[in-house]
Amino acid sequence: MTRNGSSFLDLNYLDILASGDTVIHRIDPRAKVLATALFIIFVVSSGKYEVSSLLPFFFFPVILISLGRLPTRYILLKILFLSPFILFVGIFNPLLDTAPMLHYGTFSLSGGWVSFFSMIIRFILTVGSAFILIATTGFSQICAALEKMGMPKTFAIQLLFLYRYIFVLGNEVLRVSRARELRSFGNRGKELGVFGSIAGTLLLRTWDRAQRIHMAMLCRGFRGEFHFRRPCRIGKAEVVFLACWTSFFALCRMVDIPALMGRFISGVIR
Amino acid sequence: MSHHIVEVKGLQHTYADGTHALRGVSFRITHGESVAIVGANGAGKSTLILHLNGYLSPSAGTVRIGDIPLTKQTLPEIRRTVGMVFQDPDDQLFMPTVYEDAAFGPNNLGLPPEEVDNRVTQALLTVGVEHLKHKPPYRLSGGEKRRVAIASVLSMSPDILVMDEPTTGLDPLARRRLITLMKEFRHTKIFTSHDLDMVLDLCERTIVLHEGTVRADGPTLDIFSNEALLAECSLEKPLSMQGCPICGKSRS
């Protein structure tokens, strides 16, 4: 089916995961969206050279993965899949910022390396939490939650349509590029112009499809209103979920827990 | 009920680029009829059916659905009456789940939630896809998509069903099931198709379009027996009416 076209992100499987039924899955999407957003804000806004104080933040994804019964390996692979991006962004840090920062005997680590590691940790945390959010909530539910929290309806619909048709477009891209490949021998048919006209064709097809979809919507009485009827409510569980995580994030931010534990343990040993 | 009548008179349509797609098409389809519109590629079939629920407006001529002429004011009523199933189900199934897709039409009609739920459940049961209701449409097979697309139209309780190439891209079994399903519908049915064997199975009447005009309109069997007519309109006898490839005997 759409397997090939969607394998670049394998969103299919995320959807299957989202249809699970665990404590985490049952929490109102709004609470999960808010908690994840707060989590990302806290993680991203911590200092450039923070490494150890970021580690307690791993509790959030770890607990969500285990309570939501998500396959850890799959989530890790997804993060790994996107990691080249962050490696390219961060790889210049060690070259630009060479001032030594940490000393272990004769070995010293430059500020650039520390900020690079900090960046990777933040990347793993934020991207991981986003995947976990989708895998425990489902994309359409997230859109509905955002819309309920005041995001303009048009954006919510745009997002839904993007998610719905990315598979169709992905398949179309696959078919067109296969057709090109089969008729280009060796290195021919790889000129920039060829890709230009492929992109043009895809744009026109998308345009046509958009028109047909709009037609289908009009045929079923569409008058600019979308109706999402999803049962959702903020109850005790949601309040507790959100309150606990917010205070945990705030605590992680205010207190460097690993450093504190380190001091405590070394105090006990002494 | 006179609601089920489709009357087209002197319909002409010229596209913005100057193509005369329809050059004066007239016919009348009455209650409960099952009619096929056949013709070569570019004969005007798609243009014609897009007029039946007012997506395109005629350059000249009129369309009447039941007692109501098709005008801007009557458009909502007409669109409820005429259910349109598109050729590519992907164009029609845009909501996140099968259930929500089938509920899209009834919700737009402003029906109360219980009624929407009733209708959706009934429509999904009718086409036999009740078990798929929480699935996202892109995870369905071609045959399932087609059924869901039909359900999403049935949920609006249309009086007239218009289907554009319903059997394209289906495997033989899915095609057969679809034909059996459509035989059960009591609606007025209008199909466009190149699958002439399906037409033979489903439609007692056939309208042949040729270069934007009605070339022939009559009982399906008569039309498919007229080889000169078929050849002129780039058509061919349905396989089931052609001679047996082994014994050479013709069935018709």
Side-chain angles (χ1 to χ4, degrees):
Chain A
M1 216 174 54
T2 53
R3 178 82 202 168
N4 289 330
S6 62
S7 60
F8 60 99
L9 266 180
D10 200 4
L11 297 167
N12 249 345
Y13 189 54
L14 275 178
D15 260 323
I16 296 172
L17 290 177
S19 60
D21 187 29
T22 67
V23 196
I24 302 294
H25 283 88
R26 279 194 293 269
I27 291 173
D28 188 281
R30 280 171 290 180
K32 281 183 276 187
V33 169
L34 272 180
T36 309
L38 278 173
F39 174 78
I40 291 176
I41 290 171
F42 271 101
V43 169
V44 169
S45 66
S46 40
K48 189 179 167 192
Y49 296 115
E50 296 296 336
V51 173
S52 67
S53 71
L54 282 174
L55 296 178
F57 281 105
F58 274 101
F59 264 109
F60 181 67
V62 166
I63 287 184
L64 256 53
I65 285 178
S66 60
L67 286 183
R69 299 217 190 94
L70 302 178
T72 318
R73 209 180 108 85
Y74 172 75
I75 303 277
L76 287 178
L77 279 175
K78 289 286 109 175
I79 297 173
L80 199 67
F81 186 79
L82 289 175
S83 59
F85 172 71
I86 198 73
L87 291 178
F88 279 117
V89 173
I91 199 68
F92 292 106
N93 279 14
L95 301 175
L96 297 175
D97 183 359
T98 49
M101 215 181 153
L102 295 175
H103 302 275
Y104 296 102
T106 54
F107 178 75
S108 73
L109 203 59
S110 73
W113 280 110
V114 176
S115 64
F116 182 52
F117 284 131
S118 170
M119 215 161 148
I120 289 182
I121 290 177
R122 274 182 275 182
F123 166 77
I124 295 173
L125 284 171
T126 49
V127 172
S129 68
F131 273 123
I132 292 167
L133 176 66
I134 300 178
T136 54
T137 314
F139 197 81
S140 57
Q141 295 270 22
I142 295 175
C143 288
L146 287 172
E147 195 240 316
K148 277 225 165 67
M149 290 191 298
M151 184 169 80
K153 219 166 201 176
T154 327
F155 287 157
I157 296 170
Q158 293 267 329
L159 276 176
L160 277 181
F161 272 55
L162 177 76
Y163 190 67
R164 165 69 180 90
Y165 285 101
I166 197 154
F167 299 102
V168 180
L169 183 66
N171 266 345
E172 237 157 63
V173 171
L174 198 79
R175 284 200 300 269
V176 172
S177 46
R178 193 187 292 142
R180 185 203 64 80
E181 234 165 77
L182 290 177
R183 283 180 294 150
S184 53
F185 302 94
N187 264 337
R188 290 196 198 168
K190 273 189 178 169
E191 299 82 7
L192 201 62
V194 174
F195 288 99
S197 55
I198 287 181
T201 313
L202 286 173
L203 182 71
L204 287 177
R205 278 200 209 175
T206 309
W207 180 261
D208 275 350
R209 185 179 291 279
Q211 254 177 343
R212 290 199 302 272
I213 294 165
H214 185 232
M215 184 158 78
M217 290 165 76
L218 287 180
C219 289
R220 287 195 276 152
F222 180 66
R223 265 170 270 163
E225 256 315 288
F226 253 80
H227 306 264
F228 295 109
R229 286 213 183 93
R230 292 170 181 278
C232 52
R233 56 179 210 98
I234 297 283
K236 216 193 248 167
E238 283 74 21
V239 173
V240 171
F241 179 80
L242 207 54
C244 285
W245 282 120
T246 314
S247 36
F248 176 69
F249 300 154
L251 181 74
C252 293
R253 164 49 73 73
M254 285 186 290
V255 188
D256 189 343
I257 299 173
L260 202 70
M261 276 167 67
R263 249 175 279 148
F264 175 71
I265 291 168
S266 53
V268 169
I269 292 170
R270 215 178 289 156
Chain B
M1 212 167 76
S2 57
H3 250 58
H4 302 218
I5 292 171
V6 179
E7 192 177 37
V8 173
K9 265 192 195 154
L11 187 66
Q12 294 186 27
H13 189 86
T14 310
Y15 280 105
D17 64 358
T19 318
H20 297 289
L22 297 177
R23 307 158 187 261
V25 171
S26 302
F27 57 81
R28 185 184 153 91
I29 295 171
T30 53
H31 184 171
E33 261 190 299
S34 176
V35 180
I37 297 173
V38 301
N41 294 323
K45 303 185 296 290
S46 299
T47 310
L48 174 61
I49 63 166
L50 288 180
H51 279 87
L52 298 184
N53 71 350
Y55 183 76
L56 293 177
S57 37
S59 310
T62 54
V63 176
R64 285 177 80 91
I65 307 294
D67 309 321
I68 317 167
L70 204 159
T71 63
K72 231 180 174 146
Q73 287 74 39
T74 56
L75 219 50
E77 175 62 17
I78 300 260
R79 288 195 172 145
R80 194 203 63 69
T81 316
V82 182
M84 182 84 80
V85 181
F86 286 82
Q87 187 176 350
D88 183 353
D90 266 327
D91 293 340
Q92 200 167 348
L93 308 175
F94 44 79
M95 294 297 274
T97 64
V98 166
Y99 182 92
E100 281 169 295
D101 212 283
F104 183 82
N107 273 329
N108 283 333
L109 292 175
L111 300 172
E114 314 79 65
E115 176 63 17
V116 172
D117 189 58
N118 274 343
R119 285 199 180 191
V120 171
T121 312
Q122 195 50 49
L124 294 178
L125 279 173
T126 307
V127 299
V129 292
E130 226 270 347
H131 58 291
L132 303 172
K133 70 178 181 185
H134 295 302
K135 277 203 168 183
Y138 52 79
R139 297 228 323 259
L140 307 179
S141 72
E144 288 169 341
K145 275 187 194 173
R146 192 78 58 159
R147 281 166 176 268
V148 174
I150 294 172
S152 72
V153 165
L154 286 183
S155 63
M156 297 196 298
S157 325
D159 301 318
I160 299 159
L161 274 179
V162 180
M163 300 196 199
D164 194 4
E165 307 265 359
T167 52
T168 321
L170 295 186
D171 61 51
L173 184 65
R175 172 183 170 277
R176 182 52 60 196
R177 282 194 188 139
L178 193 74
I179 291 176
T180 317
L181 173 69
M182 288 186 296
K183 268 188 186 160
E184 290 165 12
F185 291 160
R186 293 283 142 251
H187 307 74
T188 301
K189 285 168 286 199
I190 302 173
F191 302 98
T192 73
S193 190
H194 291 300
D195 180 354
L196 300 185
D197 286 288
M198 178 208 80
V199 170
L200 203 58
D201 267 359
L202 279 178
C203 308
E204 57 271 19
R205 176 177 163 197
T206 297
I207 295 173
V208 183
L209 282 189
H210 183 57
E211 293 173 355
T213 54
V214 176
R215 180 62 187 76
D217 179 353
T220 303
L221 265 177
D222 293 359
I223 286 186
F224 288 164
S225 314
N226 185 342
E227 286 187 34
L229 170 74
L230 292 177
E232 185 195 334
C233 301
S234 316
L235 297 171
E236 205 177 46
K237 259 189 185 180
L239 289 177
S240 53
M241 283 173 71
Q242 290 179 18
C244 167
I246 297 162
C247 63
K249 273 182 202 159
S250 172
R251 266 171 58 182
S252 62

